[in-house]
């Protein structure tokens, strides 16, 4: 109870123009609400879609917990919680990659596709953290490796095996896959932008003036909740088809 009251006192101390703190709090509440929605709706679907909905809930729940801690860190130190962000991402981003495998199982996707996407996402995040927090003098090199892993993921889902499986599945699965691809291509673009804005290199200054914490917070909420809603919409459409049949 004492810790809970302490957390509420931190909220009260946030300045009215502290938009970073505000977006941390809103992001936490939004993803917590999304988690409750996904978890409570699981039993409404066929068993083959429940895992996908469960993973969507786990993604937003993990993010909500980390956002709670990140908000407290920001309140106490007024510094970007880089460590907590990467802990969140190293757990949630691979799960977002798993969602591609789960929706493509209907077209015969193999676990090798899932592990390939997970491996690439881990490489992307670990090298990103090394460049942003550990070896900042070589940030451009670690960022390059991270960027290569990201673009391989983009290739796999837009043009590679994942795309071929989505085309084979067709219908609502193909539509959902394409929407998730757009989230990865456009929504995830905020992360390399944030990396370049926060690390030294030839690109330094290109994104000066942006409050990347606000951009990260809004982008995280949109990407993670949006991913889950796409999966939820797919599960609804597939369940309706089953009932009609």
């Amino acid at each position: 109870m004492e810790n809970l009251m302490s957390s509420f006192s931190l909220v009260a101390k946030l300045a009215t123009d502290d938009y970073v703190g505000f977006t941390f709090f809103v992001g936490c509440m939004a993803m917590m609400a999304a988690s409750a929605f996904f978890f409570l709706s699981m039993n409404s679907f066929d068993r083959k879609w429940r895992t996908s909905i469960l993973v969507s809930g786990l993604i937003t729940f993990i993010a909500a917990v980390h956002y709670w801690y990140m908000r407290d860190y920001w309140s106490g130190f007024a510094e970007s919680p880089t460590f907590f962000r990467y802990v969140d991402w190293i757990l949630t981003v691979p799960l977002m990659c798993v969602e591609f495998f789960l929706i493509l199982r209907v077209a015969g996707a193999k676990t090798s596709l899932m592990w390939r996407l997970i491996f690439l996402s881990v490489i992307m995040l670990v090298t990103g953290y090394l460049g942003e927090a550990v070896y900042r003098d070589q940030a451009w090199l670690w960022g390059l490796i991270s960027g290569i892993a990201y673009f391989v993921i983009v290739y796999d889902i837009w043009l590679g095996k994942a795309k071929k499986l989505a085309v084979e599945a067709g219908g609502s699965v193909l539509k959902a896959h394409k929407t998730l691809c757009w989230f990865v291509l456009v929504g995830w673009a905020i992360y390399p932008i944030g990396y370049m804005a926060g690390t030294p290199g030839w690109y330094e200054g290109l994104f000066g003036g942006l409050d990347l914490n606000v951009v990260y917070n809004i982008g995280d909420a949109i990407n993670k909740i949006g991913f889950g809603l796409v999966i939820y919409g797919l599960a609804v459409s597939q369940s309706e088809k089953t009932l009609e049949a």
Side-chain angles (χ1 to χ4, degrees):
M1 179 63 72
E2 184 179 345
N3 289 337
L4 182 62
M5 294 303 296
S6 176
S7 295
F8 279 120
S9 68
L10 285 174
V11 176
K13 292 178 182 177
L14 291 176
T16 55
D17 60 348
D18 185 356
Y19 302 114
V20 174
F22 176 77
T23 53
F24 270 129
F25 187 80
V26 172
C28 176
M29 293 299 103
M31 287 187 278
M32 193 176 294
S35 299
F37 174 75
F38 294 136
F39 289 145
L40 292 174
S41 67
M42 280 177 54
N43 291 329
S44 302
F45 303 106
D46 295 337
R47 182 169 296 181
K48 64 182 179 180
W49 294 109
R50 289 178 190 172
T51 303
S52 297
I53 300 296
L54 172 63
V55 171
S56 297
L58 288 174
I59 290 169
T60 51
F61 177 75
I62 292 169
V65 172
H66 282 96
Y67 263 65
W68 185 269
Y69 283 104
M70 286 192 283
R71 188 214 63 197
D72 284 355
Y73 186 91
W74 174 262
S75 299
F77 303 101
E79 294 178 359
S80 183
T82 302
F83 174 78
F84 288 108
R85 283 202 188 279
Y86 275 92
V87 173
D88 172 29
W89 291 341
I90 203 69
L91 295 172
T92 56
V93 173
L95 286 175
M96 294 169 83
C97 290
V98 169
E99 293 283 36
F100 282 99
F101 164 73
L102 292 175
I103 68 172
L104 294 175
R105 284 187 300 179
V106 295
K110 298 180 179 179
T111 55
S112 58
L113 172 65
M114 178 184 72
W115 289 115
R116 174 180 168 84
L117 293 176
I118 289 175
F119 175 75
L120 288 168
S121 66
V122 170
I123 293 296
M124 176 181 71
L125 293 165
V126 170
T127 54
Y129 179 75
L130 290 175
E132 191 167 352
V134 183
Y135 304 111
R136 290 179 58 84
D137 291 341
Q138 300 174 320
W140 68 270
L141 175 60
W142 294 107
L144 176 63
I145 299 171
S146 179
I148 290 172
Y150 166 70
F151 282 113
V152 174
I153 292 174
V154 170
Y155 174 83
D156 277 356
I157 61 177
W158 275 99
L159 301 170
K161 182 65 175 178
K163 174 61 181 297
K164 294 176 182 177
L165 290 168
V167 171
E168 290 178 16
S172 55
V173 173
L174 176 59
K175 183 178 179 181
H177 175 83
K178 187 173 182 179
T179 304
L180 294 181
C181 287
W182 279 112
F183 269 110
V184 173
L185 182 62
V186 179
W188 290 16
I190 65 169
Y191 305 119
I193 290 174
Y195 182 92
M196 289 188 287
T199 58
W202 61 266
Y203 44 75
E204 194 172 4
L206 289 176
F207 301 99
L210 287 176
D211 194 332
L212 269 301
N213 280 297
V214 172
V215 175
Y216 274 153
N217 294 350
I218 295 174
D220 262 354
I222 292 174
N223 287 331
K224 290 166 183 172
I225 296 174
F227 243 69
L229 290 176
V230 172
I231 301 299
Y232 177 83
L234 173 60
V236 168
S237 67
Q238 292 292 309
S239 297
E240 289 176 348
K241 286 183 180 179
T242 301
L243 291 174
E244 290 173 0

